[in-house]
Amino acid sequence: MSGQHHYSPPRDQFVGVLQSKQMPALAKKGGLVVGVLGMILFAVGAATGEARAWQAFLVNWLFFTTIASAAVMFSAVQRITTARWSRGVIRFLEGFAAFLPIAAVGLLVIVFGGRSHIYPWWDLVGTGELIPEKETYFNHGFFYARSIVAFGALLVLQLWYVWTSVRLDVGITPEHGASWAAGLRAKMRAGFGEERRELHSTHSLQGKLAVIMALVFGFGWCVLAWDHSMSLDFHFFSTMYGWQVFMGGWLVALMVWAVLLRWWKGQFPELPELITEKHYHDVGKLCFAFTAFWGYLTFSQFVIIWYGNLAEETHFFTLRLTGAWTTTTMLAAVLTFVLPFFGLLSVKAKTFSPTMIFFAVSSFAGLWFSRYTEIYPSIYGTRVDHAPLGFWELGIFAGFLGLFAWSYAQFMDAFPKAQVFKMTSPYRDEVQVPVNPDTMEPLPAHE
């Protein structure tokens, strides 16, 4: 990353400023109202047998959940690399974890309520129309188990990791925050010990959690992508599909982070060094890099299938590049890759807020069209003259967006808005040379 970020404000002043700020009512009350209305719309559609309500629910669940999960995984990567540059700003990304419990409920709604409305193969299991291998894989009990175990394991790890991160800051700051989380903060403070020992014991635990999470994140999201997206065209398969799905969420999580940094900077004029142009540049470079990586994954999947020219593979892209689906497919490619890739080549585009926000919005919209194009053509095929995109899709999108904003705002009001401990503790840089948290002695290099 560009340079180092050595900002270390006085703790009392820092905490005072952080605690004086509350999330705007628009994000809390407005987000909740829009979220509830969107879910009511979905419930009406589900109750009346409207298949598009279920399909739109799946698209938006996959879109927002990959973003939230990838944000926490990126935070864990900062621990794996023992990064210092992001200490002041990583909490703004950790807050995405608040959406994950909502996503868990959404997944249960999908797999138990929408199965026959979403998955074309659901009613074929046991009829002899599937090949034996897919008959086994799509067994209903096995499907339930995969979905629940994969997402459940990831949910536990990611919430646990964010808990350990927040606990350090709650343990050294006065009681403050939303009343709904008072019990959680009390549990975090229970047993909180001497500052230096807490730093090293937490750092050691986070190292283990982060590595395990990385393995579960990669494998778990491959399974979830196969089951809830790729399987909708049950004649198609691609080993790169899962990577493309979860790396899309990773990319857009960074893009949203880039926008949030600019908003948060305006909330803390008393702390001009908390978020600087170096942060803008560093996050902008990450956005550019993963735009290129997402493009690489997507094009590699396409070109291998194109020159392999096998009918069981080429039909997937032939469908999406012809007829009713051409426009949404091209929008996904142009908005997610073409515009951000060429637009973010320069340093100025990454640090100048209007351009960075424009390309972040472009990427956000592009990934939504990518999720739509992954799912809808597999369900409708060539049976429609135009892509079914309207009231149900946009209304349920607004509902998910409202719940995402509301959950994020609740989290940021409940817990310290920055990593106070790692920015103000006199021991903060000792973690660059790990020690045994029991003896406080440096560990041998091979450990």
Side-chain angles (χ1 to χ4, degrees):
M1 311 313 292
S2 58
Q4 296 292 332
H5 302 266
H6 294 301
Y7 181 50
S8 179
R11 181 174 290 179
D12 291 344
Q13 175 193 354
F14 190 39
V15 171
V17 172
L18 293 178
Q19 292 184 344
S20 68
K21 306 294 181 180
Q22 288 190 333
M23 294 295 290
L26 180 63
K28 291 187 288 188
K29 295 181 181 177
L32 182 59
V33 169
V34 172
V36 170
L37 290 176
M39 293 305 106
I40 290 174
L41 173 64
F42 163 70
V44 170
T48 56
E50 176 56 66
R52 275 178 62 187
W54 287 103
Q55 294 151 13
F57 192 90
L58 176 62
V59 167
N60 288 291
W61 179 86
L62 195 61
F63 175 74
F64 284 99
T65 306
T66 51
I67 293 172
S69 183
V72 180
M73 186 64 246
F74 182 84
S75 302
V77 167
Q78 302 304 287
R79 163 58 190 91
I80 292 172
T81 60
T82 323
R84 285 183 285 183
W85 71 274
S86 59
R87 286 177 179 173
V89 296
I90 199 65
R91 181 60 45 77
F92 306 139
L93 202 57
E94 289 176 340
F96 288 26
F99 180 75
L100 293 176
I102 298 173
V105 175
L107 179 62
L108 295 177
V109 170
I110 290 168
V111 297
F112 289 108
R115 54 201 182 191
S116 60
H117 298 281
I118 295 173
Y119 309 104
W121 49 264
W122 187 263
D123 294 326
L124 300 180
V125 175
T127 65
E129 295 187 39
L130 299 173
I131 62 175
E133 293 82 1
K134 291 189 177 181
E135 186 78 36
T136 300
Y137 187 78
F138 289 136
N139 174 273
H140 295 167
F142 189 28
F143 170 75
Y144 290 142
R146 285 196 308 274
S147 295
I148 294 170
V149 170
F151 192 78
L154 191 57
L155 176 70
V156 169
L157 285 167
Q158 297 202 309
L159 293 182
W160 189 2
Y161 181 85
V162 173
W163 172 282
T164 64
S165 178
V166 171
R167 178 177 175 273
L168 280 179
D169 304 313
V170 170
I172 62 168
T173 56
E175 170 58 17
H176 179 82
S179 58
W180 70 265
L184 293 177
R185 293 192 297 269
K187 289 181 180 179
M188 291 176 180
R189 291 193 178 93
F192 195 91
E194 187 268 328
E195 189 167 315
R196 185 168 180 244
R197 193 172 298 275
E198 287 289 347
L199 173 64
H200 286 286
S201 60
T202 301
H203 186 74
S204 178
L205 174 60
Q206 285 187 323
K208 298 179 180 71
L209 289 176
V211 172
I212 297 170
M213 188 201 304
L215 298 174
V216 175
F217 177 84
F219 181 72
W221 270 113
C222 281
V223 171
L224 291 166
W226 296 337
D227 284 352
H228 301 288
S229 182
M230 188 173 75
S231 78
L232 274 62
D233 183 343
F234 54 89
H235 297 296
F236 174 75
F237 56 91
S238 168
T239 55
M240 299 182 70
Y241 195 93
W243 281 79
Q244 181 194 2
V245 168
F246 71 70
M247 288 311 300
W250 183 286
L251 166 62
V252 173
L254 293 173
M255 289 287 189
V256 175
W257 192 28
V259 175
L260 285 174
L261 288 182
R262 287 156 170 82
W263 183 82
W264 278 110
K265 185 172 179 63
Q267 303 306 299
F268 298 116
E270 307 93 334
L271 303 171
E273 297 301 315
L274 178 63
I275 304 170
T276 67
E277 189 165 295
K278 286 184 178 180
H279 288 110
Y280 288 177
H281 189 206
D282 287 344
V283 176
K285 286 187 291 183
L286 287 166
C287 291
F288 173 76
F290 285 102
T291 294
F293 187 58
W294 183 88
Y296 159 76
L297 289 173
T298 305
F299 182 72
S300 296
Q301 180 177 236
F302 170 78
V303 76
I304 290 171
I305 290 173
W306 174 75
Y307 70 62
N309 199 27
L310 301 176
E312 62 267 28
E313 295 177 346
T314 55
H315 77 274
F316 184 86
F317 287 104
T318 300
L319 173 63
R320 284 157 176 79
L321 291 169
T322 56
W325 312 107
T326 307
T327 300
T328 56
T329 302
M330 297 309 297
L331 280 172
V334 171
L335 294 175
T336 313
F337 175 73
V338 177
L339 286 180
F341 179 81
F342 290 102
L344 292 175
L345 283 170
S346 70
V347 173
K348 189 65 175 177
K350 301 179 186 75
T351 57
F352 184 53
S353 291
T355 53
M356 188 66 237
I357 292 172
F358 172 79
F359 292 121
V361 171
S362 171
S363 188
F364 185 89
L367 185 70
W368 190 91
F369 279 110
S370 181
R371 295 285 177 261
Y372 176 91
T373 306
E374 289 160 8
I375 290 171
Y376 269 60
S378 295
I379 296 173
Y380 288 91
T382 57
R383 294 182 289 111
V384 293
D385 296 325
H386 62 276
L389 177 58
F391 177 71
W392 293 105
E393 290 73 23
L394 298 180
I396 294 173
F397 165 80
F400 270 89
L401 181 62
L403 290 178
F404 196 98
W406 172 77
S407 61
Y408 181 79
Q410 291 296 330
F411 179 95
M412 299 306 291
D413 264 357
F415 305 109
K417 297 176 177 63
Q419 291 192 336
V420 177
F421 193 109
K422 291 184 179 178
M423 295 186 68
T424 63
S425 173
Y427 312 111
R428 61 189 179 278
D429 287 332
E430 288 187 9
V431 295
Q432 306 303 123
V433 182
V435 304
N436 185 315
D438 296 321
T439 65
M440 304 306 292
E441 294 296 327
L443 289 168
H446 69 276
E447 296 186 27

